[in-house]
Amino acid sequence: VREASRVLDVDRVEAGRRISLAFEGIAATVRGLTGASRWVVAGGEPTAAVSRGLGVRVMHIWQEIEAGVPVLTAPVDGGELRLGLKSGSFGSEAFLAKAADCLRH
């Protein structure tokens, strides 16, 4: 039982790593093909992976969408991105709609 549990944990870690790499690649590809400069991403791991894929190294707070959840700006090669990044524990049910509206302006 202990060995099976360890194998499951390793499989979960590997699956999580592959999913993160997929998010990174998708973000980089979408930005490369579309030039998208405004992004809304939810979930702690996905936001980190998408940020890496977009080449984000530094973020600055631009304005608040909701309490504790700001729009961030990030200088990247070829311009500036605006990011609405939400971890699982922040934001209301209407967050994604509010973030999209905020980034539209």
Coordinates of all heavy atoms in Angstrom, one line a residue:
V1 N 0.8 -1.2 0.0 CA 0.0 0.0 0.0 C 0.9 1.3 0.0 O 0.6 2.2 -0.7 CB -1.0 0.0 1.2 CG1 -1.7 1.3 1.3 CG2 -1.9 -1.2 1.1
R2 N 1.9 1.2 0.8 CA 2.8 2.4 0.9 C 3.5 2.7 -0.5 O 3.6 3.8 -0.9 CB 3.8 2.2 2.0 CG 4.7 3.4 2.2 CD 5.6 3.1 3.4 NE 5.0 3.5 4.6 CZ 5.5 3.5 5.8 NH1 6.8 3.2 5.9 NH2 4.9 3.9 6.8
E3 N 3.9 1.6 -1.1 CA 4.6 1.7 -2.4 C 3.6 2.3 -3.5 O 3.9 3.1 -4.3 CB 5.2 0.4 -2.9 CG 5.9 0.5 -4.2 CD 7.2 1.4 -4.1 OE1 7.7 1.6 -3.1 OE2 7.5 1.9 -5.2
A4 N 2.4 1.7 -3.5 CA 1.4 2.2 -4.4 C 1.0 3.7 -4.2 O 0.9 4.4 -5.1 CB 0.1 1.4 -4.3
S5 N 1.0 4.1 -2.9 CA 0.8 5.5 -2.6 C 1.9 6.4 -3.2 O 1.6 7.5 -3.7 CB 0.6 5.7 -1.1 OG 0.5 7.1 -0.8
R6 N 3.1 5.9 -3.0 CA 4.3 6.7 -3.5 C 4.2 6.8 -5.0 O 4.5 7.9 -5.6 CB 5.6 6.1 -3.1 CG 6.8 6.9 -3.4 CD 8.1 6.3 -2.9 NE 8.6 5.3 -3.9 CZ 9.0 5.5 -5.1 NH1 9.0 6.8 -5.6 NH2 9.5 4.6 -5.9
V7 N 3.9 5.7 -5.7 CA 3.7 5.7 -7.2 C 2.7 6.7 -7.6 O 2.9 7.5 -8.5 CB 3.5 4.3 -7.7 CG1 3.1 4.4 -9.2 CG2 4.7 3.4 -7.5
L8 N 1.5 6.7 -6.9 CA 0.5 7.7 -7.3 C 0.9 9.1 -7.1 O 0.6 10.0 -7.9 CB -0.8 7.4 -6.4 CG -1.6 6.2 -6.8 CD1 -2.7 6.0 -5.8 CD2 -2.2 6.3 -8.2
D9 N 1.7 9.4 -6.0 CA 2.2 10.7 -5.8 C 3.1 11.2 -6.9 O 3.1 12.3 -7.3 CB 2.9 10.8 -4.4 CG 1.9 10.8 -3.2 OD1 0.7 11.0 -3.5 OD2 2.3 10.5 -2.1
V10 N 4.0 10.3 -7.3 CA 5.0 10.6 -8.3 C 4.2 10.8 -9.6 O 4.5 11.7 -10.4 CB 6.0 9.4 -8.5 CG1 6.8 9.6 -9.8 CG2 6.9 9.4 -7.3
D11 N 3.2 10.0 -9.9 CA 2.4 10.2 -11.1 C 1.7 11.5 -11.1 O 1.6 12.2 -12.1 CB 1.4 9.0 -11.3 CG 2.0 7.7 -11.6 OD1 3.2 7.7 -12.0 OD2 1.3 6.7 -11.5
R12 N 1.2 11.9 -10.0 CA 0.5 13.2 -9.8 C 1.5 14.4 -10.1 O 1.2 15.3 -10.8 CB -0.1 13.4 -8.5 CG -1.4 12.6 -8.3 CD -2.0 12.9 -7.0 NE -3.0 11.9 -6.7 CZ -3.2 11.4 -5.5 NH1 -2.4 11.7 -4.5 NH2 -4.1 10.5 -5.3
V13 N 2.7 14.3 -9.5 CA 3.7 15.3 -9.7 C 4.1 15.4 -11.2 O 4.1 16.5 -11.8 CB 4.9 15.0 -8.9 CG1 6.1 15.9 -9.3 CG2 4.6 15.2 -7.4
E14 N 4.3 14.3 -11.8 CA 4.6 14.2 -13.3 C 3.5 14.8 -14.1 O 3.7 15.6 -15.0 CB 5.0 12.8 -13.7 CG 5.3 12.7 -15.2 CD 6.6 13.5 -15.6 OE1 7.4 13.9 -14.7 OE2 6.7 13.8 -16.8
A15 N 2.2 14.4 -13.8 CA 1.1 15.0 -14.5 C 1.0 16.5 -14.3 O 0.8 17.2 -15.3 CB -0.2 14.3 -14.0
G16 N 1.2 16.9 -13.1 CA 1.2 18.4 -12.9 C 2.2 19.1 -13.6 O 2.0 20.2 -14.2
R17 N 3.4 18.5 -13.7 CA 4.5 19.1 -14.4 C 4.2 19.2 -15.9 O 4.4 20.2 -16.6 CB 5.8 18.3 -14.2 CG 7.1 19.0 -14.8 CD 8.3 18.2 -14.6 NE 8.3 17.0 -15.5 CZ 8.5 16.9 -16.8 NH1 8.8 18.1 -17.4 NH2 8.5 15.8 -17.4
R18 N 3.6 18.2 -16.5 CA 3.3 18.1 -17.9 C 2.1 19.2 -18.2 O 2.2 19.8 -19.2 CB 2.8 16.7 -18.3 CG 4.0 15.8 -18.4 CD 3.6 14.5 -18.9 NE 4.8 13.6 -18.8 CZ 4.8 12.4 -19.5 NH1 3.8 12.0 -20.2 NH2 5.9 11.7 -19.4
I19 N 1.2 19.3 -17.3 CA 0.1 20.2 -17.5 C 0.7 21.6 -17.5 O 0.3 22.5 -18.3 CB -1.0 20.0 -16.4 CG1 -1.7 18.7 -16.7 CG2 -2.0 21.2 -16.4 CD1 -2.6 18.3 -15.6
S20 N 1.6 21.9 -16.5 CA 2.2 23.3 -16.4 C 3.0 23.6 -17.7 O 2.9 24.7 -18.3 CB 3.1 23.4 -15.2 OG 2.4 23.4 -14.0
L21 N 3.7 22.6 -18.2 CA 4.4 22.8 -19.5 C 3.5 23.0 -20.6 O 3.8 23.9 -21.5 CB 5.4 21.6 -19.8 CG 6.6 21.5 -18.9 CD1 7.3 20.1 -19.1 CD2 7.5 22.6 -19.0
A22 N 2.3 22.4 -20.6 CA 1.3 22.6 -21.7 C 0.8 24.0 -21.6 O 0.7 24.7 -22.6 CB 0.2 21.6 -21.6
F23 N 0.5 24.5 -20.4 CA 0.0 25.8 -20.2 C 1.0 26.9 -20.7 O 0.7 27.8 -21.4 CB -0.4 26.2 -18.8 CG -1.8 25.7 -18.4 CD1 -2.0 24.8 -17.4 CD2 -2.9 26.2 -19.1 CE1 -3.3 24.5 -17.0 CE2 -4.2 25.9 -18.7 CZ -4.4 25.0 -17.7
E24 N 2.3 26.6 -20.4 CA 3.3 27.5 -20.8 C 3.4 27.6 -22.3 O 3.4 28.7 -22.9 CB 4.7 27.0 -20.3 CG 4.9 27.3 -18.9 CD 6.3 26.8 -18.4 OE1 7.3 27.0 -19.2 OE2 6.4 26.3 -17.3
G25 N 3.4 26.4 -23.0 CA 3.5 26.3 -24.4 C 2.3 27.0 -25.1 O 2.4 27.7 -26.1
I26 N 1.1 26.7 -24.6 CA -0.1 27.3 -25.2 C -0.1 28.8 -25.1 O -0.4 29.5 -26.1 CB -1.4 26.7 -24.5 CG1 -1.6 25.2 -24.9 CG2 -2.6 27.5 -24.9 CD1 -2.5 24.5 -24.0
A27 N 0.3 29.3 -23.9 CA 0.3 30.8 -23.8 C 1.3 31.4 -24.7 O 1.0 32.4 -25.4 CB 0.7 31.1 -22.3
A28 N 2.5 30.8 -24.8 CA 3.5 31.3 -25.8 C 3.1 31.3 -27.2 O 3.2 32.2 -28.0 CB 4.8 30.5 -25.6
T29 N 2.4 30.2 -27.6 CA 1.9 30.0 -28.9 C 0.8 31.0 -29.3 O 0.8 31.7 -30.3 CB 1.4 28.6 -29.2 OG1 2.5 27.7 -29.0 CG2 0.9 28.4 -30.6
V30 N -0.1 31.1 -28.3 CA -1.3 32.1 -28.6 C -0.7 33.5 -28.7 O -1.1 34.2 -29.6 CB -2.3 32.0 -27.4 CG1 -3.3 33.1 -27.5 CG2 -3.0 30.6 -27.5
R31 N 0.2 33.9 -27.8 CA 0.7 35.3 -27.9 C 1.5 35.4 -29.2 O 1.4 36.5 -29.8 CB 1.6 35.6 -26.7 CG 2.2 37.0 -26.8 CD 2.7 37.5 -25.5 NE 3.0 38.9 -25.7 CZ 4.3 39.3 -25.9 NH1 5.3 38.5 -25.8 NH2 4.5 40.6 -26.0
G32 N 2.3 34.4 -29.6 CA 3.0 34.5 -30.8 C 2.2 34.6 -32.0 O 2.5 35.4 -33.0
L33 N 1.1 33.9 -32.1 CA 0.2 33.9 -33.2 C -0.8 35.1 -33.3 O -1.1 35.6 -34.3 CB -0.7 32.6 -33.3 CG 0.0 31.3 -33.5 CD1 -0.9 30.1 -33.4 CD2 0.6 31.3 -34.9
T34 N -1.2 35.6 -32.1 CA -2.2 36.7 -32.0 C -1.7 38.0 -31.6 O -2.3 39.0 -31.8 CB -3.4 36.3 -31.1 OG1 -2.9 36.2 -29.7 CG2 -4.0 34.9 -31.5
G35 N -0.6 38.0 -30.8 CA -0.1 39.2 -30.2 C -0.9 39.7 -29.0 O -0.8 40.8 -28.6
A36 N -1.7 38.7 -28.5 CA -2.6 39.1 -27.4 C -1.8 39.7 -26.2 O -0.7 39.2 -25.8 CB -3.3 37.8 -26.9
S37 N -2.3 40.8 -25.7 CA -1.5 41.5 -24.7 C -2.4 41.6 -23.4 O -1.9 42.2 -22.4 CB -1.2 42.9 -25.1 OG -2.3 43.7 -25.4
R38 N -3.6 41.1 -23.4 CA -4.4 41.1 -22.2 C -4.9 39.7 -21.9 O -5.5 39.1 -22.8 CB -5.6 42.1 -22.4 CG -5.1 43.5 -22.6 CD -6.2 44.4 -23.0 NE -5.6 45.7 -23.3 CZ -6.2 46.9 -23.3 NH1 -7.5 46.9 -23.1 NH2 -5.6 48.0 -23.6
W39 N -4.6 39.3 -20.7 CA -4.9 37.9 -20.3 C -5.6 37.8 -19.0 O -5.3 38.6 -18.0 CB -3.5 37.2 -20.2 CG -2.8 37.0 -21.4 CD1 -2.1 38.0 -22.1 CD2 -2.7 35.9 -22.2 NE1 -1.6 37.5 -23.3 CE2 -1.9 36.2 -23.4 CE3 -3.1 34.6 -22.1 CZ2 -1.5 35.3 -24.3 CZ3 -2.8 33.6 -23.0 CH2 -2.0 34.0 -24.2
V40 N -6.6 36.9 -18.9 CA -7.2 36.6 -17.6 C -7.0 35.1 -17.4 O -7.3 34.3 -18.2 CB -8.7 36.9 -17.6 CG1 -9.4 36.5 -16.3 CG2 -9.0 38.4 -17.9
V41 N -6.4 34.8 -16.2 CA -6.1 33.4 -15.9 C -6.5 33.1 -14.5 O -6.2 33.9 -13.6 CB -4.6 33.1 -16.1 CG1 -4.3 31.6 -15.9 CG2 -4.1 33.6 -17.5
A42 N -7.1 32.0 -14.2 CA -7.5 31.6 -12.9 C -6.8 30.3 -12.5 O -6.6 29.4 -13.3 CB -9.0 31.4 -12.8
G43 N -6.5 30.3 -11.2 CA -5.8 29.1 -10.6 C -4.3 29.4 -10.4 O -3.7 29.9 -11.2
G44 N -3.9 29.0 -9.2 CA -2.5 29.3 -8.8 C -1.4 28.7 -9.8 O -0.6 29.4 -10.3
E45 N -1.5 27.4 -10.0 CA -0.5 26.8 -10.9 C -0.7 27.3 -12.4 O 0.3 27.6 -13.0 CB -0.7 25.3 -10.8 CG -0.2 24.7 -9.5 CD 1.3 24.9 -9.3 OE1 2.1 24.9 -10.2 OE2 1.7 25.2 -8.1
P46 N -1.9 27.4 -12.9 CA -2.0 27.9 -14.3 C -1.5 29.3 -14.4 O -0.9 29.6 -15.4 CB -3.6 27.8 -14.5 CG -4.0 26.7 -13.7 CD -3.2 26.8 -12.4
T47 N -1.8 30.2 -13.4 CA -1.3 31.5 -13.6 C 0.2 31.6 -13.6 O 0.8 32.3 -14.4 CB -1.8 32.5 -12.5 OG1 -1.4 32.0 -11.2 CG2 -3.3 32.6 -12.5
A48 N 0.9 30.8 -12.8 CA 2.4 30.7 -12.8 C 2.9 30.2 -14.2 O 3.8 30.8 -14.8 CB 2.9 29.8 -11.7
A49 N 2.3 29.1 -14.7 CA 2.7 28.5 -15.9 C 2.5 29.5 -17.1 O 3.3 29.7 -18.0 CB 2.0 27.2 -16.2
V50 N 1.3 30.1 -17.2 CA 1.0 31.1 -18.3 C 2.0 32.3 -18.2 O 2.5 32.7 -19.2 CB -0.5 31.5 -18.2 CG1 -0.7 32.7 -19.1 CG2 -1.4 30.4 -18.6
S51 N 2.2 32.8 -17.0 CA 3.2 33.9 -16.9 C 4.6 33.5 -17.4 O 5.2 34.3 -18.1 CB 3.3 34.3 -15.4 OG 2.0 34.8 -14.9
R52 N 5.0 32.3 -17.0 CA 6.3 31.8 -17.6 C 6.3 31.7 -19.1 O 7.2 32.2 -19.8 CB 6.7 30.5 -17.0 CG 7.2 30.5 -15.6 CD 7.8 29.2 -15.1 NE 6.9 28.1 -15.2 CZ 6.0 27.7 -14.3 NH1 6.0 28.4 -13.1 NH2 5.2 26.7 -14.5
G53 N 5.2 31.2 -19.6 CA 5.1 31.0 -21.1 C 5.0 32.4 -21.8 O 5.5 32.5 -23.0
L54 N 4.5 33.4 -21.1 CA 4.5 34.7 -21.8 C 5.8 35.5 -21.6 O 5.9 36.6 -22.1 CB 3.3 35.5 -21.1 CG 1.9 35.0 -21.4 CD1 0.9 35.8 -20.6 CD2 1.6 35.0 -22.9
G55 N 6.7 34.9 -20.8 CA 8.0 35.6 -20.6 C 8.0 36.7 -19.6 O 8.8 37.5 -19.5
V56 N 7.0 36.6 -18.6 CA 6.9 37.6 -17.6 C 7.9 37.4 -16.5 O 8.1 36.3 -16.0 CB 5.4 37.5 -16.9 CG1 5.4 38.4 -15.7 CG2 4.4 37.9 -17.9
R57 N 8.7 38.4 -16.2 CA 9.7 38.4 -15.2 C 9.4 39.3 -14.1 O 9.8 39.1 -12.9 CB 11.1 38.7 -15.8 CG 11.5 37.8 -16.9 CD 11.9 36.5 -16.4 NE 12.3 35.6 -17.5 CZ 11.6 34.7 -18.0 NH1 10.4 34.5 -17.6 NH2 12.0 33.9 -19.0
V58 N 8.7 40.4 -14.4 CA 8.3 41.5 -13.4 C 6.9 41.9 -13.6 O 6.5 42.0 -14.8 CB 9.2 42.7 -13.6 CG1 8.8 43.8 -12.7 CG2 10.7 42.4 -13.4
M59 N 6.2 42.1 -12.5 CA 4.8 42.6 -12.6 C 4.6 43.8 -11.8 O 5.2 43.9 -10.7 CB 3.8 41.5 -12.2 CG 3.7 40.3 -13.1 SD 2.5 39.1 -12.4 CE 3.4 37.6 -12.5
H60 N 3.7 44.7 -12.2 CA 3.4 45.9 -11.4 C 1.9 46.0 -11.3 O 1.2 45.7 -12.2 CB 3.9 47.2 -12.1 CG 5.3 47.1 -12.5 ND1 6.3 47.4 -11.5 CD2 6.0 46.8 -13.6 CE1 7.5 47.2 -12.1 NE2 7.3 46.9 -13.3
I61 N 1.4 46.4 -10.1 CA 0.0 46.6 -9.9 C -0.5 47.8 -10.7 O 0.1 48.9 -10.7 CB -0.4 46.8 -8.4 CG1 0.0 45.5 -7.7 CG2 -1.8 47.1 -8.2 CD1 -0.1 45.6 -6.2
W62 N -1.6 47.6 -11.5 CA -2.1 48.6 -12.3 C -3.4 49.1 -11.7 O -3.5 50.3 -11.4 CB -2.4 48.1 -13.7 CG -3.0 49.1 -14.7 CD1 -2.5 50.3 -15.0 CD2 -4.2 49.0 -15.4 NE1 -3.3 51.0 -15.9 CE2 -4.3 50.2 -16.1 CE3 -5.2 48.0 -15.5 CZ2 -5.4 50.4 -17.0 CZ3 -6.2 48.2 -16.4 CH2 -6.3 49.4 -17.1
Q63 N -4.4 48.3 -11.5 CA -5.6 48.7 -10.8 C -6.3 47.4 -10.2 O -5.9 46.3 -10.6 CB -6.6 49.4 -11.7 CG -7.2 48.6 -12.7 CD -8.2 49.4 -13.6 OE1 -7.8 50.4 -14.1 NE2 -9.4 48.9 -13.9
E64 N -7.2 47.7 -9.2 CA -7.8 46.5 -8.6 C -9.1 46.1 -9.3 O -9.9 47.0 -9.6 CB -8.1 46.9 -7.1 CG -8.5 45.8 -6.2 CD -8.6 46.2 -4.8 OE1 -9.4 47.1 -4.5 OE2 -7.8 45.7 -4.0
I65 N -9.3 44.8 -9.5 CA -10.5 44.3 -10.0 C -11.5 44.1 -8.9 O -12.6 44.5 -8.9 CB -10.3 42.9 -10.7 CG1 -9.3 43.1 -11.9 CG2 -11.6 42.4 -11.2 CD1 -8.8 41.8 -12.5
E66 N -11.0 43.4 -7.9 CA -11.8 43.1 -6.6 C -10.7 43.2 -5.5 O -9.5 43.2 -5.7 CB -12.4 41.8 -6.7 CG -13.6 41.6 -7.6 CD -14.2 40.3 -7.5 OE1 -13.7 39.3 -6.9 OE2 -15.4 40.1 -8.1
A67 N -11.2 43.2 -4.3 CA -10.3 43.2 -3.1 C -9.3 42.1 -3.2 O -9.7 40.9 -3.3 CB -11.1 43.1 -1.8
G68 N -8.1 42.4 -3.2 CA -7.0 41.5 -3.2 C -6.7 40.9 -4.6 O -5.8 40.0 -4.7
V69 N -7.3 41.3 -5.6 CA -7.1 40.8 -7.0 C -6.9 42.0 -8.0 O -7.9 42.5 -8.5 CB -8.2 39.9 -7.5 CG1 -7.8 39.1 -8.7 CG2 -8.6 38.9 -6.4
P70 N -5.7 42.3 -8.2 CA -5.4 43.4 -9.1 C -5.2 43.0 -10.6 O -5.0 41.8 -10.9 CB -4.1 44.0 -8.6 CG -3.4 42.8 -8.1 CD -4.5 41.9 -7.6
V71 N -5.3 44.0 -11.5 CA -4.8 43.8 -12.8 C -3.3 44.2 -12.7 O -2.9 45.2 -12.1 CB -5.5 44.8 -13.8 CG1 -4.7 44.7 -15.2 CG2 -6.9 44.4 -14.0
L72 N -2.5 43.4 -13.3 CA -1.0 43.6 -13.3 C -0.5 44.0 -14.6 O -1.1 43.5 -15.6 CB -0.3 42.3 -12.8 CG -0.8 41.8 -11.4 CD1 -0.4 40.4 -11.2 CD2 -0.3 42.7 -10.3
T73 N 0.5 44.8 -14.7 CA 1.1 45.0 -16.0 C 2.5 44.4 -15.9 O 3.1 44.2 -14.9 CB 1.3 46.5 -16.3 OG1 2.1 47.1 -15.3 CG2 0.0 47.2 -16.4
A74 N 3.0 43.9 -17.1 CA 4.2 43.2 -17.1 C 5.0 43.6 -18.4 O 4.5 43.4 -19.5 CB 4.0 41.7 -17.1
P75 N 6.1 44.2 -18.3 CA 6.9 44.5 -19.5 C 7.5 43.2 -20.0 O 8.1 42.4 -19.3 CB 8.0 45.4 -19.0 CG 8.1 45.1 -17.5 CD 6.8 44.7 -17.1
V76 N 7.3 43.0 -21.3 CA 7.9 41.8 -22.0 C 8.5 42.2 -23.3 O 8.2 43.3 -23.8 CB 6.8 40.7 -22.2 CG1 6.3 40.1 -20.9 CG2 5.7 41.2 -23.0
D77 N 9.2 41.3 -23.9 CA 9.8 41.7 -25.2 C 8.6 42.0 -26.2 O 7.6 41.3 -26.2 CB 10.5 40.5 -25.8 CG 11.8 40.2 -25.1 OD1 12.3 41.1 -24.4 OD2 12.3 39.0 -25.2
G78 N 8.7 43.1 -26.8 CA 7.7 43.5 -27.8 C 6.5 44.3 -27.2 O 5.5 44.5 -27.8
G79 N 6.6 44.7 -25.9 CA 5.5 45.5 -25.3 C 5.2 45.3 -23.9 O 6.1 44.9 -23.1
E80 N 4.0 45.5 -23.6 CA 3.5 45.3 -22.2 C 2.3 44.5 -22.2 O 1.4 44.6 -23.0 CB 3.2 46.7 -21.6 CG 2.7 46.7 -20.2 CD 2.4 48.0 -19.6 OE1 1.3 48.5 -19.8 OE2 3.3 48.6 -19.0
L81 N 2.2 43.6 -21.2 CA 1.0 42.8 -21.0 C 0.2 43.3 -19.8 O 0.7 43.9 -18.9 CB 1.4 41.3 -20.7 CG 2.2 40.6 -21.7 CD1 2.6 39.2 -21.2 CD2 1.5 40.5 -23.0
R82 N -1.1 43.1 -19.9 CA -2.0 43.4 -18.7 C -2.6 42.0 -18.4 O -3.1 41.3 -19.2 CB -3.1 44.4 -19.1 CG -2.6 45.8 -19.2 CD -3.7 46.8 -19.2 NE -3.1 48.1 -19.4 CZ -3.8 49.1 -19.7 NH1 -5.1 49.0 -19.9 NH2 -3.2 50.3 -19.9
L83 N -2.5 41.7 -17.1 CA -2.8 40.4 -16.6 C -3.8 40.4 -15.5 O -3.6 41.1 -14.5 CB -1.6 39.6 -16.1 CG -0.4 39.6 -17.1 CD1 0.9 39.2 -16.4 CD2 -0.7 38.6 -18.2
G84 N -4.9 39.7 -15.6 CA -5.8 39.5 -14.4 C -5.6 38.1 -14.0 O -6.0 37.1 -14.6
L85 N -4.8 37.9 -12.9 CA -4.4 36.6 -12.4 C -5.1 36.3 -11.0 O -5.0 37.1 -10.1 CB -2.9 36.5 -12.2 CG -2.0 36.9 -13.4 CD1 -0.6 36.9 -13.0 CD2 -2.4 36.0 -14.6
K86 N -5.8 35.2 -11.0 CA -6.6 34.9 -9.8 C -6.2 33.5 -9.2 O -6.3 32.5 -10.0 CB -8.1 34.9 -10.1 CG -9.0 34.5 -9.0 CD -10.4 34.3 -9.6 CE -11.3 33.5 -8.7 NZ -10.7 32.4 -7.9
S87 N -5.8 33.5 -8.0 CA -5.6 32.2 -7.4 C -7.0 31.6 -7.0 O -8.0 32.4 -7.0 CB -4.7 32.3 -6.2 OG -5.4 32.9 -5.1
G88 N -7.0 30.4 -6.6 CA -8.3 29.8 -6.2 C -9.0 30.4 -5.0 O -10.2 30.3 -4.9
S89 N -8.3 31.0 -4.1 CA -8.9 31.5 -2.9 C -9.3 32.9 -2.9 O -9.9 33.4 -1.9 CB -7.9 31.3 -1.8 OG -6.7 32.0 -2.0
F90 N -9.2 33.6 -4.0 CA -9.6 35.0 -4.1 C -10.6 35.2 -5.2 O -10.7 34.5 -6.1 CB -8.4 35.9 -4.5 CG -7.4 36.1 -3.3 CD1 -6.4 35.2 -3.1 CD2 -7.6 37.1 -2.4 CE1 -5.5 35.4 -2.1 CE2 -6.7 37.3 -1.3 CZ -5.6 36.4 -1.2
G91 N -11.4 36.3 -5.0 CA -12.3 36.7 -6.1 C -13.7 36.1 -5.9 O -13.9 35.0 -5.4
S92 N -14.7 36.8 -6.4 CA -16.1 36.4 -6.4 C -16.4 35.5 -7.6 O -15.6 35.3 -8.4 CB -17.0 37.6 -6.4 OG -16.9 38.2 -7.7
E93 N -17.6 35.0 -7.6 CA -18.0 34.2 -8.7 C -18.1 35.0 -10.0 O -17.9 34.4 -11.1 CB -19.4 33.6 -8.5 CG -19.4 32.5 -7.4 CD -20.8 31.9 -7.2 OE1 -21.7 32.0 -8.1 OE2 -21.0 31.2 -6.2
A94 N -18.2 36.3 -9.9 CA -18.3 37.2 -11.1 C -16.9 37.7 -11.5 O -16.8 38.5 -12.4 CB -19.2 38.3 -10.8
F95 N -15.8 37.2 -10.8 CA -14.5 37.7 -11.1 C -14.1 37.7 -12.6 O -13.6 38.6 -13.1 CB -13.4 36.9 -10.3 CG -12.0 37.3 -10.7 CD1 -11.5 38.5 -10.2 CD2 -11.3 36.5 -11.6 CE1 -10.2 38.9 -10.7 CE2 -10.1 36.9 -12.0 CZ -9.5 38.1 -11.5
L96 N -14.3 36.5 -13.2 CA -13.8 36.4 -14.6 C -14.5 37.5 -15.5 O -13.8 38.1 -16.3 CB -14.0 35.0 -15.1 CG -13.2 33.9 -14.4 CD1 -13.6 32.6 -15.0 CD2 -11.7 34.2 -14.6
A97 N -15.8 37.7 -15.3 CA -16.5 38.7 -16.1 C -16.0 40.1 -15.8 O -15.7 40.9 -16.7 CB -18.0 38.6 -15.9
K98 N -15.7 40.4 -14.5 CA -15.2 41.7 -14.1 C -13.8 41.9 -14.6 O -13.5 43.0 -15.1 CB -15.2 41.8 -12.6 CG -16.5 41.9 -11.9 CD -16.3 42.0 -10.4 CE -17.6 42.1 -9.6 NZ -17.4 42.2 -8.2
A99 N -13.0 40.9 -14.6 CA -11.6 41.0 -15.1 C -11.6 41.2 -16.6 O -10.9 42.1 -17.1 CB -10.8 39.7 -14.8
A100 N -12.4 40.5 -17.3 CA -12.5 40.7 -18.8 C -12.9 42.1 -19.1 O -12.4 42.8 -20.0 CB -13.4 39.7 -19.4
D101 N -13.9 42.6 -18.4 CA -14.4 44.0 -18.6 C -13.3 45.0 -18.2 O -13.1 46.0 -19.0 CB -15.7 44.2 -17.7 CG -16.3 45.6 -18.1 OD1 -16.6 45.8 -19.2 OD2 -16.5 46.4 -17.1
C102 N -12.6 44.8 -17.1 CA -11.6 45.7 -16.7 C -10.4 45.8 -17.7 O -9.9 46.8 -18.1 CB -11.0 45.3 -15.4 SG -9.8 46.4 -14.6
L103 N -10.1 44.6 -18.3 CA -9.0 44.6 -19.3 C -9.4 45.1 -20.6 O -8.5 45.4 -21.5 CB -8.5 43.1 -19.4 CG -7.7 42.7 -18.1 CD1 -7.4 41.2 -18.2 CD2 -6.4 43.4 -18.0
R104 N -10.7 45.2 -20.9 CA -11.2 45.6 -22.2 C -10.9 47.1 -22.3 O -10.8 47.6 -23.4 CB -12.7 45.4 -22.2 CG -13.2 45.4 -23.6 CD -14.7 44.9 -23.6 NE -14.8 43.5 -23.4 CZ -15.5 42.9 -22.5 NH1 -16.3 43.6 -21.7 NH2 -15.5 41.6 -22.4
H105 N -10.7 47.8 -21.2 CA -10.5 49.3 -21.3 C -9.0 49.7 -21.2 O -8.2 49.1 -20.7 CB -11.3 50.0 -20.2 CG -12.7 49.6 -20.2 ND1 -13.6 50.1 -21.1 CD2 -13.4 48.8 -19.4 CE1 -14.8 49.6 -20.9 NE2 -14.7 48.8 -19.8

